[in-house]
Every structure is written in structure tokens, then in C-alpha cells.
Amino acid sequence: MRKKCEAITILLVDDDPDCRLLIREAISQCKISNMVFEVPDGQSALDFVFRRGDYANAPRPGLIYLDIEMPGISGQEVLRQIKASPEHRHIPVVMMTGVADEAQMEQAAKNGANSYTLKPANPEQFLRTVLASTDYWMRIHQYPEHHLSPELCRR
Amino acid sequence: MRLRATLGIQAKLVIAFSSLLLTAIATSTGVFNQHSREALSDMLGEQARQIAQTLALAAETPYEIGDEQELLRLGQDLLRSRNIVLVVFCDSTNKPLQLACRDPDFTLTRWANSPEFRSDTTQLMQVHRRHLPSLGDFLQITAPVFDTQRDARRSGLTGRTLDTRLLGYLTVGISQNAEQMRLARVGFLSAAIACMIFLLCLPLACTLVHRIFLPIRQLAAAANRIAGGDYDAEVATDRPDEIGDMARAFNEMVHRVRHHRRQLEEANRGLEEKVRQRTAELEDINRRLSAEIAEKEEFLRAVSHDLNAPLRNIGGMASLLLMKHREKFDDEIIHRLERIQKNVEVETGLISELLELSRIKTRRQKMEPINVRELLGDVAGLFEDDLRQRQISLVIDPGPFPTLVCEKARLRQVFQNLIDNAIKYMGDSPLREIHVGCRAGQDHAEFHVRDTGIGIHPDDLPRLFCVFRRGRNSVEMNIAGKGVGLASVKSIVEMYGGRISVQSRLGEGTEFRFSLPMNSSARAENEPSREPTPATA
């Protein structure tokens, strides 16, 4: 299965550099070498997605990992803005959080999150989760376009 | 009854007054009429007598000479006078000779044939009432005619002598019509005057009654206003009479009522003010408590996040190294990395338990009636594997268990922690039994969880329920645990207003006893309770 996969561009949004490192490493465990971009906060994430300022030439991400708890613009707000833009709303966004909070989960779902990942307390489990999630979304991207729902095809 | 219902006192008074007045006027008019009628009759009778006497004297000569034509002339002369209607002359045998009458149809023959008109010679000079349709009412009187002149001539004396000769009788009828008409006029006039007086008096009476009742009406109106809640109603008190007294008493009463009412209102206002103050205080306290709880929640979230994130990173790094480079590392490095992972795991669990402990008091769950026996069944199911592995028998008392109203998860946590402890500290005891039972009291239920394990050292007992204080046994025996379980149990039991105690002998076993109120909803509702704020930051 995985051999068929093509590389996708992944945007990683997390204020914790170690966490970013971990996720990047986890993603690199995939057989396909995806392009992984990292930004440390919500503002940069929005600039990257909407190609503003320093990120004017940024590629369009095929998948976004978005941490919820961030200083400044929160993950929820970034999610809301991405999903509010007709051009970008089809980019799959996986929310990540360190704390299990139903209200937050509900809020993320309302804002249009495609997935919600709890950073598991067990580090190994966390790595596995990221890996599985990346794999899933990569495979979604590989489907022939006419098999996909239109919103996932428009890139 | 109906009249009494529809008419007021005033109308009734006016009616009574009017009927009295009418009766008086009618009676006096009637009496007056009666008297005048009688007086008129007497007068007419006297007149008739005089006329009859005069006529008798005048008729003497014609009688004597037998000149009947002269008699007729006399009679007709007399008819010309105003009220004479009938003159009849009879001879001494009472045989009618001549008749003169206003009614030309009333002839001598008819007179002679009507016994009711015929002169009764036994009742001379007496007045009789007669009636003829053509003549109306009239008085009839019969007088004798004597030969007085011849007697005088014969004796040469003037005046009558004893020797008088009866010449005949004459009858005169005098009409009453004119007098009756006059009387009727007088009666009509007096009735008219009475009516006028009555008509004049009626409005007068009405006005009078109206005036008399004015203060009473004012009083009634004021009473009505008070009944309607207007306590400023007052009536004029300047009258010196009984109504004035009543008005003064009424005003006094109103004054008192007003006074009491004002007192009541003031008291009420004071009370309301107090209630408002107290409510405001309570609201303030509630707000502060809510804010504190929210703050604590936020703090816990932050702690949870900030403590967990670096731990996850540490663990993650170790795991990554193991995943990527396991084949390059020697056993020692692998072992160390695994120890790092293990410790991170323990620390993570500890943090989550600590968070749970601090949430016991702030994050309240739904209160519901809980069948404790069912709950114990569930808990026993959880430990099934552990119990079988360690060959421990969990005995749940067959006696009755009460139904408690509390948070299900918390109650489960209490039993779970205690049974978990009992399993952990069973050690190598030959008798391997955990006993759970209950004794229901009046308003509290007392539970016990008893084991036949290794027991607790007496020095450890005082610190048993403190967080992170683990007995020396646990260290010696390398029993997994973090020292949070019993602290949680104590925290939950005490939150419901219960107590927990422990008895233990080293080598024999331990018994935990705790009480819970049968219905802890009242207390739980008084506790500050608040859902955690949904944090989106």
C-alpha cells in the first residue's frame, strides 16, 4: 500500500520545539519522505497557509498538525480561520492537545477539525499515533480523484 | 324582600314620608267634606222648614176659600225661586189638590201613585231625602196648613188659640244640587290643594333625606375606599351630632389602621432590605467561589499541560532512540533508555492521579441513587483477574446494602482504591480473603473493607491518608503505588460528610471503616459546584 503513496507537504504547528522534533521524527519513520515544514506559533501558521510575509512562496500544505495550546493565537483560532477560507478549508487539519478536555474537543469539531489527536502520555504510543495519522491522511491523498469527495480533491 | 334589596334607605324613607303625608291629607280632606256635607244638609233642612211654614201661612186663605187656582199660582211662584223644585198641596185628608214641579212630566197623578213621595202626615215638619232622575237629590218636607186668621177673627184675639182647624197639608221639595255642586267644587279644590302640597313636599322630603344621609354616604364611600386599599380616606367631622361622633370614630380607626399599615410596610421594607443584602452577599461569595474554582481548574489545566509536555518529550526522545537505533546500541544503553521510559510512565501516571485528586472537590458530577451492591459487583469484576492470579477471595456481605444518593464514579473510586490496596498488601498471608460489608444506620451507612493481609505498621497509621505518604511495607515489598489512592478515598468520604478510620495489626490484616450519609444531596448542593470553563486559549 505504502509504496503507492506520494509525498505530501505537511505543516507542523507547535510552540514546543522538542515536540516538533518528535513529531517530525515520527513522520520521518514513514517510508515516503514527506516535506515537513515547522512553524512555532499560530500567527506563522496563518502566514504560511495564506502565503503572507516571509511565507509568500510557501507551498500549499496537504496536511496540517495543529497544537491547540499555544501562546498568542490559539490552535482553535488558526483552525477557525483556515476553515473559514473557501480556498483552504479542504486542507485536512489534525488537532493535537496534551489535555483531554471534552469542551475543547467539541469546540474543535465545531470549527471543522478533520481529526483530534490526544498526545498520549505514553511517548511511544504518541509516536505511533502520529505515524498512523500521517499514514492515514497520506493514503487519503492517493485516492484517484473521482473516488474522493470533491473537497479533498481540490488542492 | 325584593323591594328591600333594590331600594336604599333614602328611597324607603321618602316613600314612608310620602305615604304618611298622603294619608294625613286624605283623612283631613275626607273629614272636612263630611262635615261640610252635614252642615249643608242641616242648613237646607232649616231653610225647607222656614219655606214650608211661610207657604203654609200664605196658603191659608186659598185653602179656606177653596181657591185651588190660587194655590197652583202660589206653588208656581215658589218654583221660580232658585232651589224649590216641587210644591204639592193636599187637603186635610191628605188627598192631593195641586202640584207644581220643575219637571213637567211629574204630574199630580204620578205623585199620588208614588208611595215613596206621598207625604207622611205622621212625620210633619221633618226633612226627608228624595231622589228623582229629572230633579236630582232634593229634601222634602211636609207642613200642615191651619186656619189661624179665622180663629183670630172669631175670638178677636191675635195669636193662636187652642181651637185651630186643619185645612190641609203642603209638601215642599228643595233641591240639593246647587249645594252639592258647590261642595264638590270645594272638595275638588281641597284635593287640588292637597296634591299641590304633596307635590311641593315630595322634593322637599327628598332633599331633606338626601341632606340627612350625606354624611352617612360620605362615611360609606370612605369605608369603601379603605376596603379598596386607599388608607388616606377621611370624612368631615364638624357635625355636632351622632353622625359627627361616628365620623370621628371612623377617622380614628382609619388613622390607626394607617399607622399599623405603615409600621408593617416599614418592617417589610427592612426585611426586604436585609434579604437583598444577604442575597447580594451570598451572590458575591458565590461569584468569588466560582472564580476561585475556575482559577483552580485553569491552574490544574496548566499544570497538567506543562508537567506533561516535557515528560512526553523526554519519553518520546528515549522511544525514538530505541526505535531508530536499537540495533546500534549495546544492552546497557538500551536498559538505561528503557528505565527512562519506565520512570516517565510512572511520573505521568502520578501527575494524572494528582490532578484527579484535586478535581474531586471542584469537578462535581451528577448525583444519582446508587445501588451499592450492584456497584460492588462491577468493582469485583474489574479485579477478577488480579484476584484469581493471587488466589484471593473477595467476599461481599450477603446482608442488605443501602441505596445511596451520590456521584457514582466517586463511590466506585472509593471501593476500587480500598480493594486495590487490600489486594496489593495481601503479601504471602496464608488466609487470603477480602471482606466487604455494610451496616445501615438511621441516616448513615457504615461500610467496611477488611483484608487478611500484611497489615500496617503502627507508626505509619497517622500518616496513612496523607498524599505521597506510603507505608514502609510498600517500599520494602516494592509494591507499585504512588501514595495518592487513600488520600483520594479520604477526600471523597469527607466531601460527603462521612468519616473514615483504619484498624490494623501487623501480620493479621487491616480494616477500613467509612460512613456515608444515606442522602448526601443536601450537603452536596451547598457545596460550591461548577462545571469547568471550556478553555479555548
Side-chain angles (χ1 to χ4, degrees):
Chain A
M1 270 306 257
R2 223 176 262 176
K3 274 173 196 166
K4 288 185 204 162
C5 292
E6 285 173 19
I8 57 169
T9 308
I10 297 173
L11 177 62
L12 204 51
V13 189
D14 201 317
D15 58 313
D16 182 351
D18 291 337
C19 193
R20 286 206 301 274
L21 176 69
L22 273 178
I23 296 169
R24 178 189 270 277
E25 288 288 333
I27 292 168
S28 74
Q29 296 288 303
C30 292
K31 293 289 187 302
I32 305 295
S33 53
N34 295 302
M35 293 264 279
V36 180
F37 294 89
E38 291 175 25
V39 285
D41 52 54
Q43 186 56 55
S44 316
L46 287 173
D47 286 349
F48 189 97
V49 173
F50 296 117
R51 292 173 183 158
R52 292 185 299 223
D54 296 344
Y55 301 99
N57 298 317
R60 181 192 169 95
L63 175 64
I64 299 173
Y65 279 103
L66 186 54
D67 186 29
I68 291 180
E69 285 103 352
M70 285 188 297
I73 301 176
S74 79
Q76 295 277 15
E77 176 59 21
V78 173
L79 172 69
R80 203 187 57 73
Q81 290 199 21
I82 290 173
K83 291 298 175 184
S85 156
E87 250 181 279
H88 301 89
R89 58 194 289 197
H90 307 301
I91 302 172
V93 178
V94 178
M95 304 300 285
M96 293 183 302
T97 178
V99 186
D101 188 331
E102 273 180 39
Q104 208 174 53
M105 230 185 272
E106 217 168 276
Q107 182 69 30
K110 215 183 285 173
N111 286 342
N114 296 73
S115 180
Y116 189 94
T117 306
L118 193 65
K119 292 177 186 168
N122 185 323
E124 209 165 319
Q125 209 178 331
F126 176 50
L127 294 177
R128 273 189 237 290
T129 309
V130 172
L131 211 55
S133 169
T134 311
D135 196 39
Y136 170 79
W137 288 107
M138 275 172 65
R139 265 189 273 170
I140 288 281
H141 276 283
Q142 306 316 316
Y143 273 104
E145 296 205 348
H146 60 269
H147 283 162
L148 275 177
S149 60
E151 60 176 45
L152 284 170
C153 300
R154 255 177 268 134
R155 287 214 249 159
Chain B
M1 209 57 202
R2 216 184 125 78
L3 194 75
R4 199 181 295 170
T6 50
L7 288 179
I9 295 177
Q10 293 183 56
K12 278 185 234 165
L13 262 178
V14 168
I15 286 173
F17 183 78
S18 323
S19 35
L20 261 176
L21 194 69
L22 266 180
T23 317
I25 290 172
T27 315
S28 62
T29 313
V31 168
F32 172 71
N33 271 356
Q34 184 68 30
H35 273 281
S36 30
R37 200 184 303 278
E38 278 170 15
L40 200 70
S41 292
D42 288 354
M43 207 178 72
L44 276 175
E46 194 54 37
Q47 198 187 353
R49 257 182 229 111
Q50 279 177 11
I51 288 172
Q53 262 177 4
T54 316
L55 190 60
L57 282 176
E60 205 180 307
T61 319
Y63 259 112
E64 211 169 5
I65 57 174
D67 187 352
E68 287 187 18
Q69 286 309 307
E70 181 61 18
L71 282 177
L72 186 63
R73 200 187 51 82
L74 267 177
Q76 274 161 353
D77 276 356
L78 208 55
L79 275 188
R80 260 181 238 122
S81 79
R82 197 166 43 88
N83 52 357
I84 308 291
V85 291
L86 176 73
V87 181
V88 184
F89 297 97
C90 302
D91 66 4
S92 53
T93 59
N94 201 14
K95 183 180 146 245
L97 301 173
Q98 286 295 335
L99 179 140
C101 182
R102 285 260 174 95
D103 184 6
D105 295 337
F106 199 68
T107 57
L108 198 64
T109 342
R110 211 174 136 195
W111 160 266
N113 293 336
S114 339
E116 74 268 23
F117 289 114
R118 284 293 299 276
S119 318
D120 184 0
T121 48
T122 57
Q123 288 182 334
L124 292 172
M125 295 310 279
Q126 290 208 356
V127 177
H128 298 281
R129 287 173 192 282
R130 294 284 185 262
H131 181 81
L132 260 184
S134 53
L135 298 177
D137 288 327
F138 61 94
L139 297 177
Q140 183 178 304
I141 189 163
T142 302
V145 182
F146 295 108
D147 180 14
T148 49
Q149 287 174 1
R150 202 195 64 157
D151 289 347
R153 277 195 310 271
R154 194 184 292 166
S155 60
L157 292 168
T158 57
R160 286 177 60 191
T161 64
L162 285 173
D163 184 20
T164 54
R165 192 167 60 97
L166 181 69
L167 295 176
Y169 300 99
L170 60 87
T171 299
V172 177
I174 295 183
S175 169
Q176 277 185 306
N177 277 356
E179 278 65 29
Q180 267 180 343
M181 272 170 73
R182 203 179 304 153
L183 207 63
R185 243 193 333 270
V186 168
F188 177 74
L189 213 65
S190 59
I193 290 170
C195 276
M196 264 173 66
I197 290 173
F198 177 71
L199 286 179
L200 277 177
C201 279
L202 197 64
L204 207 72
C206 286
T207 318
L208 206 67
V209 167
H210 191 262
R211 291 247 4 193
I212 289 170
F213 273 82
L214 187 67
I216 293 176
R217 269 202 315 279
Q218 284 173 346
L219 217 61
N224 268 336
R225 275 171 66 194
I226 287 169
D230 175 11
Y231 291 93
D232 293 330
E234 285 221 0
V235 288
T237 56
D238 46 1
R239 293 174 71 102
D241 52 9
E242 290 87 343
I243 288 174
D245 288 344
M246 202 157 98
R248 277 185 287 279
F250 181 82
N251 278 352
E252 178 63 25
M253 188 183 81
V254 170
H255 181 73
R256 284 206 190 152
V257 168
R258 197 158 53 211
H259 179 67
H260 287 312
R261 199 183 149 78
R262 198 166 298 137
Q263 278 183 336
L264 215 64
E265 274 171 0
E266 270 166 28
N268 236 355
R269 252 199 302 283
L271 222 60
E272 272 170 19
E273 184 56 34
K274 269 184 200 159
V275 168
R276 221 180 349 261
Q277 275 178 8
R278 190 87 188 101
T279 310
E281 279 171 28
L282 284 175
E283 274 171 1
D284 190 46
I285 290 171
N286 208 17
R287 237 189 329 270
R288 236 171 28 234
L289 280 174
S290 296
E292 274 172 23
I293 290 170
E295 212 171 284
K296 189 176 175 191
E297 275 291 324
E298 196 46 49
F299 170 74
L300 288 176
R301 275 182 57 80
V303 166
S304 158
H305 182 250
D306 295 350
L307 288 184
N308 272 326
L311 261 183
R312 194 168 44 238
N313 291 344
I314 295 168
M317 301 291 177
S319 300
L320 263 181
L321 284 176
L322 279 174
M323 281 163 78
K324 281 175 83 172
H325 308 291
R326 185 179 276 271
E327 54 274 18
K328 292 186 209 156
F329 294 153
D330 57 24
D331 284 353
E332 195 187 349
I333 297 177
I334 290 173
H335 177 70
R336 299 280 155 84
L337 284 174
E338 277 172 354
R339 286 317 301 166
I340 291 175
Q341 278 183 319
K342 195 81 197 160
N343 275 292
V344 166
E345 212 173 286
V346 170
E347 185 69 19
T348 312
L350 189 55
I351 288 171
S352 72
E353 274 195 41
L354 264 181
L355 286 175
E356 193 54 34
L357 174 64
S358 69
R359 274 181 187 144
I360 283 172
K361 284 183 185 171
T362 53
R363 205 177 275 192
R364 301 302 296 270
Q365 293 159 353
K366 197 179 72 175
M367 305 290 286
E368 54 186 325
I370 294 155
N371 183 329
V372 180
R373 180 174 290 282
E374 274 176 25
L375 185 88
L376 279 171
D378 289 352
V379 174
L382 283 179
F383 292 111
E384 210 174 326
D385 289 345
D386 269 349
L387 290 168
R388 204 182 314 114
Q389 267 178 22
R390 300 191 184 210
Q391 296 171 327
I392 302 171
S393 54
L394 174 64
V395 182
I396 296 172
D397 210 31
F401 277 86
T403 298
L404 294 180
V405 177
C406 62
E407 295 156 280
K408 190 169 189 171
R410 299 292 183 221
L411 191 60
R412 178 199 289 268
Q413 205 177 341
V414 170
F415 283 111
Q416 206 172 313
N417 283 356
L418 288 177
I419 293 171
D420 186 43
N421 255 18
I423 294 172
K424 276 181 188 159
Y425 292 94
M426 189 53 77
D428 306 324
S429 303
L431 185 63
R432 309 177 75 77
E433 209 174 87
I434 299 171
H435 195 268
V436 182
C438 170
R439 198 159 50 90
Q442 189 76 337
D443 48 356
H444 277 70
E446 195 177 292
F447 298 92
H448 67 258
V449 177
R450 191 167 52 229
D451 65 56
T452 54
I454 55 174
I456 301 164
H457 196 278
D459 294 348
D460 289 334
L461 282 176
R463 302 173 302 167
L464 195 70
F465 296 107
C466 297
V467 71
F468 294 135
R469 299 287 187 179
R470 303 179 60 205
R472 59 197 69 193
N473 282 337
S474 59
V475 184
E476 285 164 10
M477 294 167 65
N478 197 16
I479 289 171
K482 300 151 203 103
V484 181
L486 283 179
S488 296
V489 168
K490 184 175 157 66
S491 190
I492 292 168
V493 169
E494 286 182 352
M495 184 184 66
Y496 285 117
R499 283 163 184 276
I500 186 162
S501 63
V502 62
Q503 280 185 326
S504 182
R505 291 175 87 103
L506 267 180
E508 284 182 23
T510 310
E511 182 182 37
F512 286 95
R513 285 182 170 276
F514 64 95
S515 64
L516 285 175
M518 301 289 256
N519 187 340
S520 47
S521 58
R523 182 182 162 79
E525 271 163 18
N526 289 335
E527 294 272 322
S529 163
R530 199 174 164 281
E531 285 295 303
T533 39
T536 48

